[in-house]
Amino acid sequence: MEISKFYTSEFIKLKSQKAFIMIASLYVIGLIFLLFQVSETNVKDIYRIFNAITFFIITSWHILSFGEIIEKGIIRYYLEYLPNRTAFLMWIYIEYSLVYLLLSVSFVILTGGQLFNHFFVYLMIFLLYITINTVLIINIGRSAMTILLSIILLWVLPNLVNYIFSGMIVYDFQLFYYLSSDSFTQFHSVKEIVIPLIYVIIFYSLSMYQFKRKEY
C-alpha cells in the first residue's frame, strides 16, 4: 500500500466514525473556549488542561483506530499492501505525533509563544503515552481492554507511584515520574532529557519488535 493510500483509508475510516467527528467538534469548541480564558497569570494552567484533554483524545483515537484493524483482522489486508511492518508502524506513529504537534504548536503560538519550554516537556510525555499504548494494543489486541488499562497505567497510577517513591533516590529515575505533569514539569537537568528519551526508545523498540513477530 502506498503511503498516500494508507492515509486516504484512514481519512475514509474517520469520516464513517460519527462519534469521533462529534468529539472532534466538541474538542474544537473547547479549545476556542480555553483560548479565551488565557491570561498571563493562568497560561501554564490552561496549557496543562489543553494537554490533558488533547492527550486523552489523541491516545484514545490511536487505540480505537489501530485496535479496530487488529481486533477485526483488517490488518492482514493493510500488511498485504505494506508488508514492511517497521514502515507501517512508523507511519502510524508519525500520523498521531503530527496531529499532536500541529495542535500543540498552534496553541503555543496563539497564546503568545510563552510556553515553548513546557511544550517540549509535554511532547516527551505524549511520546511516552503513544509508545506505551502501542505496546499495550499490540499485546492485548482489544480496544476496550486497552483503553481501560491505559487509563489505569497512564492516568491513575503515576501520581500514586510518585507519592510512594517521593524522597527516595529513584524518584526521578522511575518511569511514572515522567508520565505525570505534576512531577515532570520542566527540564531541570540533562538527566531529565536523557531518561525519558531512553524510556521512549525502549517502548518504541519494544513495539517494533513485538509487532514484527506478531501473527495476524
Side-chain angles (χ1 to χ4, degrees), residues 57 84 183:
I57 289 178
N84 186 330
S183 51

Side-chain angles (χ1 to χ4, degrees), residues 3 6-7 10 13 58 61-63 65-67 69-70 75 78-79 82 85-99 126 130 134 137-138 204 208 211:
I3 295 306
F6 170 76
Y7 285 119
E10 288 288 285
K13 186 167 62 176
I58 295 179
W61 170 29
H62 166 239
I63 292 171
S65 182
F66 189 33
I69 66 173
I70 291 177
I75 193 167
Y78 278 81
L79 293 175
L82 188 61
R85 295 194 178 197
T86 300
F88 179 84
L89 198 56
M90 173 67 77
W91 284 110
I92 288 178
Y93 277 127
I94 290 173
E95 177 183 358
Y96 296 101
S97 298
L98 284 178
V99 171
F126 175 80
I130 206 78
T134 302
I137 192 61
I138 289 170
Y204 172 81
M208 285 292 181
F211 186 61

Side-chain angles (χ1 to χ4, degrees), residues 29-172:
I29 294 169
L31 179 58
I32 294 170
F33 174 78
L34 283 177
L35 286 170
F36 277 107
Q37 305 305 310
V38 172
S39 67
E40 288 187 7
T41 56
N42 70 359
V43 63
K44 292 180 183 178
D45 293 329
I46 294 293
Y47 188 51
R48 182 177 177 180
I49 295 170
F50 159 80
N51 275 289
I53 297 170
T54 305
F55 279 13
F56 185 76
I57 289 178
I58 295 179
T59 55
S60 296
W61 170 29
H62 166 239
I63 292 171
L64 291 171
S65 182
F66 189 33
E68 180 184 27
I69 66 173
I70 291 177
E71 195 169 345
K72 294 183 177 179
I74 305 171
I75 193 167
R76 292 195 299 270
Y77 303 106
Y78 278 81
L79 293 175
E80 284 181 9
Y81 292 96
L82 188 61
N84 186 330
R85 295 194 178 197
T86 300
F88 179 84
L89 198 56
M90 173 67 77
W91 284 110
I92 288 178
Y93 277 127
I94 290 173
E95 177 183 358
Y96 296 101
S97 298
L98 284 178
V99 171
Y100 173 73
L101 283 170
L102 176 64
L103 292 169
S104 191
V105 169
S106 299
F107 191 91
V108 170
I109 292 172
L110 289 171
T111 52
Q114 311 171 47
L115 299 163
F116 271 110
N117 182 37
H118 298 278
F119 162 78
F120 290 106
V121 170
Y122 282 108
L123 175 60
M124 194 71 76
I125 297 174
F126 175 80
L127 292 175
L128 281 170
Y129 275 41
I130 206 78
T131 50
I132 290 171
N133 280 334
T134 302
V135 171
L136 292 177
I137 192 61
I138 289 170
N139 284 280
I140 297 172
R142 294 186 178 276
S143 302
M145 287 293 294
T146 303
I147 284 183
L148 178 61
L149 187 57
S150 175
I151 289 172
I152 294 170
L153 185 64
L154 303 179
W155 298 89
V156 177
L157 283 181
N159 286 337
L160 176 61
V161 173
N162 287 335
Y163 176 77
I164 294 170
F165 281 106
S166 61
M168 298 186 185
I169 193 169
V170 296
Y171 175 61
D172 55 356

